[in-house]
Amino acid sequence: MAGMPKISLKYNDKVIKEIVLTDAVVNIGRKADNDLVIDNLAVSSHHARIARVDGAFVIQDTGSTNGIFLNGEKISQHALAYGDQIMIGKHVVVFEDDVAAAPPPPAAEGRGTVRFGRYEVVKEIGHGAMGTVYLAKDTVGRRNVAVKTLKPSGVDAQELEDMKARFFREAESAKQLAHPAIVRVYDAGEEQGTAYFAMELLDGATLKDFCAKRGLLTVKRAVEITAFVADALAYAHAKTVVHRDVKPENIMILSNGDVKITDLGVAKLMDATQTQSGVVLGTPNYMSPEQLIGQKVDGRSDLFSLGVVFYELLTGVRPFQANNISEMLRLHDAHTPPAPSTIRAEVPPSVDAITLRALQRDLAERYQNGEQMAKDLRAVMHGL
């Protein structure tokens, strides 16, 4: 049944059963009268159902005891997108496409339709040094997505090929990330020499634009946003994915207030490639000292960058400001940023301590993982 979505029941990464979805309701639970039976005491007799509603497949909790978790977030009802992972007890139900490897339908002749694989471009929504971002329609999944292309300027043919190879490796890693505060990457491919990846389409603004419009955030909101990002980074780092480009432009505030990190994994590829050429992607103002000198970095580098973002959210200024890498390195060696409370009096000492710990030059003195940083941030929220 090519072109039909399906669900796959998995346990320890092994596929136990697959069901191709139609307009019929699929009931999930422990009792034998369910369409998808999960024989586990953590699963309720009638746990959940999946049904088509207004053209989309929706999962709904049908009175379970332990609940259902979609991409790590507990929900009662939610529309599904390809790649979504539903945790039911100790089992995972994956909503996916049974024709993921099928060739895309051809573009209509004479219409000039622009396609990247199965994604039909609707319009351009962004442009940067590394490529273009498009609003596109997934012709198989029947949903809108964002398609980002990799088309950098100023690189030779061999470097571009190396870049593409890393791009696809990193996009494949990013596809494995399923966290409520990380933008989902659905697919990656190449169309007429241009590499691209398709990702979740977001309704919101970058943290940079959000703050430019609203001004200085409350201390509590700054702490809350930073805690969400720290949690997401902890999850990514546990999956061996390092971002390498944490900055306000790569953090989104959605219209409902949720926080999302973008370009995880892909940013690592782009930064690593450009650094080899002696060119820095974006600004060095958020980079850790070890990243600036080209050392191999781990998750603690991302937490340093998050510390810079946090400092800026609290005070409206960056702790380190320079025009190039040489100036920034000298600044890191000679300058210790003042506590945020010296710039904004309402910042409490506990928040000062978290900020300055994240900004430690010495890796051993810095936060060692995002989970630890998020825990400290949430602890101080009760007093704000």
Short mmCIF file of all heavy atoms in Angstrom, two decimals, residues 203-207 210 221 225 251-260:
data_model
loop_
_atom_site.label_atom_id
_atom_site.label_comp_id
_atom_site.label_asym_id
_atom_site.label_seq_id
_atom_site.Cartn_x
_atom_site.Cartn_y
_atom_site.Cartn_z
N ASP A 203 6.07 27.96 14.15
CA ASP A 203 5.32 29.21 14.19
C ASP A 203 5.84 30.02 15.37
O ASP A 203 5.46 29.77 16.51
CB ASP A 203 3.83 28.92 14.35
CG ASP A 203 2.99 30.20 14.45
OD1 ASP A 203 3.49 31.26 14.04
OD2 ASP A 203 1.85 30.12 14.96
N GLY A 204 6.74 30.94 15.10
CA GLY A 204 7.31 31.73 16.18
C GLY A 204 8.42 32.63 15.67
O GLY A 204 8.48 32.94 14.48
N ALA A 205 9.28 33.04 16.58
CA ALA A 205 10.37 33.95 16.23
C ALA A 205 11.66 33.47 16.90
O ALA A 205 11.61 32.77 17.92
CB ALA A 205 10.05 35.37 16.70
N THR A 206 12.80 33.83 16.32
CA THR A 206 14.05 33.50 16.98
C THR A 206 14.13 34.28 18.29
O THR A 206 13.48 35.32 18.46
CB THR A 206 15.27 33.87 16.12
OG1 THR A 206 15.35 35.31 16.00
CG2 THR A 206 15.17 33.25 14.73
N LEU A 207 14.91 33.77 19.20
CA LEU A 207 15.09 34.46 20.49
C LEU A 207 15.64 35.86 20.27
O LEU A 207 15.27 36.80 20.99
CB LEU A 207 16.02 33.64 21.38
CG LEU A 207 16.26 34.15 22.80
CD1 LEU A 207 14.96 34.30 23.57
CD2 LEU A 207 17.22 33.22 23.54
N PHE A 210 12.69 37.91 19.13
CA PHE A 210 11.74 37.97 20.24
C PHE A 210 12.16 39.03 21.25
O PHE A 210 11.34 39.86 21.70
CB PHE A 210 11.67 36.59 20.90
CG PHE A 210 10.66 36.46 22.00
CD1 PHE A 210 9.33 36.22 21.72
CD2 PHE A 210 11.05 36.57 23.33
CE1 PHE A 210 8.39 36.09 22.74
CE2 PHE A 210 10.13 36.43 24.36
CZ PHE A 210 8.79 36.20 24.06
N ARG A 221 11.71 34.60 33.39
CA ARG A 221 11.54 34.08 32.03
C ARG A 221 12.89 33.74 31.41
O ARG A 221 13.02 32.73 30.70
CB ARG A 221 10.79 35.10 31.16
CG ARG A 221 10.51 34.64 29.74
CD ARG A 221 9.72 33.37 29.67
NE ARG A 221 9.27 33.06 28.30
CZ ARG A 221 9.07 31.85 27.83
NH1 ARG A 221 9.25 30.80 28.63
NH2 ARG A 221 8.64 31.65 26.60
N ILE A 225 13.70 29.95 30.04
CA ILE A 225 14.13 29.66 28.68
C ILE A 225 15.46 28.92 28.70
O ILE A 225 15.66 27.91 28.00
CB ILE A 225 14.23 30.96 27.85
CG1 ILE A 225 12.84 31.52 27.57
CG2 ILE A 225 14.99 30.71 26.54
CD1 ILE A 225 12.85 32.91 26.96
N ILE A 251 17.72 29.64 18.58
CA ILE A 251 16.73 29.29 19.60
C ILE A 251 15.42 29.97 19.21
O ILE A 251 15.40 31.17 18.93
CB ILE A 251 17.16 29.75 21.00
CG1 ILE A 251 18.48 29.06 21.40
CG2 ILE A 251 16.07 29.44 22.04
CD1 ILE A 251 19.12 29.63 22.65
N MET A 252 14.35 29.20 19.14
CA MET A 252 13.05 29.74 18.73
C MET A 252 12.10 29.80 19.91
O MET A 252 12.07 28.91 20.75
CB MET A 252 12.43 28.85 17.65
CG MET A 252 13.18 28.80 16.34
SD MET A 252 12.93 30.28 15.33
CE MET A 252 11.20 30.11 14.89
N ILE A 253 11.32 30.89 19.97
CA ILE A 253 10.22 31.02 20.91
C ILE A 253 8.93 30.91 20.09
O ILE A 253 8.67 31.75 19.24
CB ILE A 253 10.25 32.36 21.67
CG1 ILE A 253 11.62 32.58 22.33
CG2 ILE A 253 9.14 32.38 22.72
CD1 ILE A 253 11.99 31.55 23.36
N LEU A 254 8.18 29.84 20.31
CA LEU A 254 6.99 29.61 19.51
C LEU A 254 5.84 30.49 19.99
O LEU A 254 5.87 31.07 21.08
CB LEU A 254 6.59 28.14 19.57
CG LEU A 254 7.67 27.12 19.19
CD1 LEU A 254 7.07 25.74 19.03
CD2 LEU A 254 8.40 27.54 17.91
N SER A 255 4.81 30.57 19.16
CA SER A 255 3.67 31.44 19.48
C SER A 255 2.96 31.01 20.75
O SER A 255 2.31 31.82 21.41
CB SER A 255 2.69 31.47 18.30
OG SER A 255 2.28 30.15 17.98
N ASN A 256 3.08 29.73 21.13
CA ASN A 256 2.46 29.25 22.38
C ASN A 256 3.40 29.34 23.57
O ASN A 256 3.08 28.88 24.67
CB ASN A 256 1.96 27.81 22.22
CG ASN A 256 3.11 26.83 21.97
OD1 ASN A 256 4.28 27.21 21.93
ND2 ASN A 256 2.76 25.56 21.82
N GLY A 257 4.60 29.92 23.36
CA GLY A 257 5.56 30.10 24.45
C GLY A 257 6.60 29.01 24.57
O GLY A 257 7.55 29.14 25.35
N ASP A 258 6.44 27.92 23.82
CA ASP A 258 7.42 26.83 23.88
C ASP A 258 8.77 27.28 23.32
O ASP A 258 8.85 28.23 22.53
CB ASP A 258 6.93 25.62 23.08
CG ASP A 258 5.80 24.88 23.78
OD1 ASP A 258 5.52 25.20 24.95
OD2 ASP A 258 5.20 23.98 23.16
N VAL A 259 9.81 26.57 23.73
CA VAL A 259 11.18 26.87 23.32
C VAL A 259 11.71 25.72 22.48
O VAL A 259 11.51 24.55 22.80
CB VAL A 259 12.08 27.08 24.55
CG1 VAL A 259 13.52 27.37 24.13
CG2 VAL A 259 11.55 28.20 25.43
N LYS A 260 12.39 26.04 21.37
CA LYS A 260 12.95 25.01 20.49
C LYS A 260 14.36 25.42 20.06
O LYS A 260 14.59 26.57 19.70
CB LYS A 260 12.10 24.84 19.23
CG LYS A 260 10.70 24.28 19.47
CD LYS A 260 10.65 22.80 19.24
CE LYS A 260 9.22 22.29 19.23
NZ LYS A 260 9.16 20.81 19.05
#
